[in-house]
Amino acid sequence: MKTKIVLLGPPGSGKGTQGEMLSQELGFVRLSTGDMLREAARNGAPLGLKAKEYMDRGALVPNDLIINLMKEKIKSLGEGTGVIFDGFPRTVEQANALGEQVNIDLALNLDVEDSELLNRLTKRRSCPKCNAVYHLDYNPPKKKNVCDKCGSELYHRDDDKEETVLNRLKVYRENTKPLIEYYEGKGTLKTVIGVGSIDEIYGEVKKTVL
Ligand code: AMP
């Protein structure tokens, strides 16, 4: 089984949802840089406040900040721990830094077209406490605006508003999409079409890990 997994794919492609399902089922740790940065920003930590300036515009946080943050996280994991990297790496520089520390055995690329991504993100609602995500039409919470898992009030991320989403997609194409070729060159890339029901996609995702 693959135990060091990178999730690739544009914002809204389902990395968080599928990564969380995998980590639950396999007992792997899911490391989401986006979740970490948002939490740091909510707590008023210096790193979070700095990162927020970039996140609010849909820009990438500078490589050195992210690389240092992840270096520490990775060091704190046990040798044999299964890990799912969600939202990291997002640049070739980050991928090189990750490669120095961890032997990635699967880069799973979730492929979804832009029109679908825009719909998903503008109608996404997120839980600030447990990071669960919902979609107003496809995957609504049982009670309006309340997280099924922890009961917190859901919110619409600032960077999920249309104008910022369009910038995030541009940033993805320019900086992160080249990682598809990068991991293809290493022989670890697998692509799953990220369209269909969450369970259908998960079925395909699981096949790539086993
Ligand atoms: P996400 O939750 O993965 O969509 O990330 C939200 C935002 O956090 C991104 O738009 C970036 O501003 C920032 N971010 C998350 N991960 C990274 C990363 N690996 N490199 C640079 N910025 C990141």
Side-chain angles (χ1 to χ4, degrees):
M1 191 194 294
K2 312 285 195 299
T3 59
K4 302 287 187 282
I5 302 168
V6 159
L7 295 180
L8 294 177
S13 57
K15 299 186 298 294
T17 302
Q18 297 294 332
E20 186 57 26
M21 288 168 85
L22 260 188
S23 78
Q24 291 287 331
E25 182 171 349
L26 304 177
F28 286 10
V29 174
R30 173 175 154 256
L31 293 180
S32 158
T33 40
D35 286 349
M36 286 176 207
L37 295 173
R38 278 184 292 277
E39 193 182 333
R42 271 196 296 273
N43 294 339
L47 166 72
L49 297 179
K50 179 124 195 71
K52 197 172 178 324
E53 294 169 25
Y54 297 89
M55 296 168 81
D56 284 350
R57 301 185 261 127
L60 292 184
V61 171
N63 279 324
D64 56 340
L65 287 187
I66 292 285
I67 289 171
N68 286 336
L69 171 74
M70 289 305 277
K71 260 200 184 131
E72 293 310 310
K73 281 275 166 201
I74 294 167
K75 264 195 219 150
S76 69
L77 299 171
E79 263 289 297
T81 313
V83 192
I84 298 170
F85 294 95
D86 169 359
F88 176 86
R90 259 177 158 97
T91 63
V92 170
E93 193 176 331
Q94 292 178 16
N96 284 333
L98 177 62
E100 284 171 16
Q101 250 186 313
V102 181
N103 217 346
I104 296 299
D105 48 17
L106 171 65
L108 172 58
N109 175 37
L110 289 168
D111 190 8
V112 180
E113 64 180 47
D114 280 11
S115 56
E116 171 71 9
L117 297 170
L118 196 63
N119 169 302
R120 286 188 190 177
L121 293 173
T122 51
K123 291 194 172 179
R124 173 159 79 176
R125 295 296 178 268
S126 306
C127 176
K129 191 152 177 236
C130 74
N131 300 312
V133 289
Y134 300 86
H135 185 278
L136 292 181
D137 304 329
Y138 306 150
N139 176 30
K142 293 195 182 81
K143 196 171 156 207
K144 199 175 166 212
N145 250 357
V146 176
C147 180
D148 292 351
K149 293 187 180 143
C150 75
S152 302
E153 191 182 344
L154 301 177
Y155 79 120
H156 191 201
R157 276 169 50 177
D158 281 340
D159 64 344
D160 280 348
K161 312 263 158 81
E162 182 162 347
E163 195 187 301
T164 315
V165 167
L166 292 174
N167 194 40
R168 287 166 69 199
L169 293 177
K170 182 166 171 275
V171 166
Y172 167 77
R173 274 192 297 274
E174 287 170 5
N175 299 278
T176 311
K177 211 172 171 195
L179 292 180
I180 294 176
E181 248 177 57
Y182 178 97
Y183 284 109
E184 197 165 33
K186 295 194 180 293
T188 47
L189 184 80
K190 293 249 172 78
T191 292
V192 164
I193 304 295
V195 184
S197 75
I198 290 173
D199 288 338
E200 275 163 11
I201 300 166
Y202 185 59
E204 295 304 311
V205 163
K206 248 174 76 175
K207 283 187 207 161
T208 67
V209 176
L210 301 176

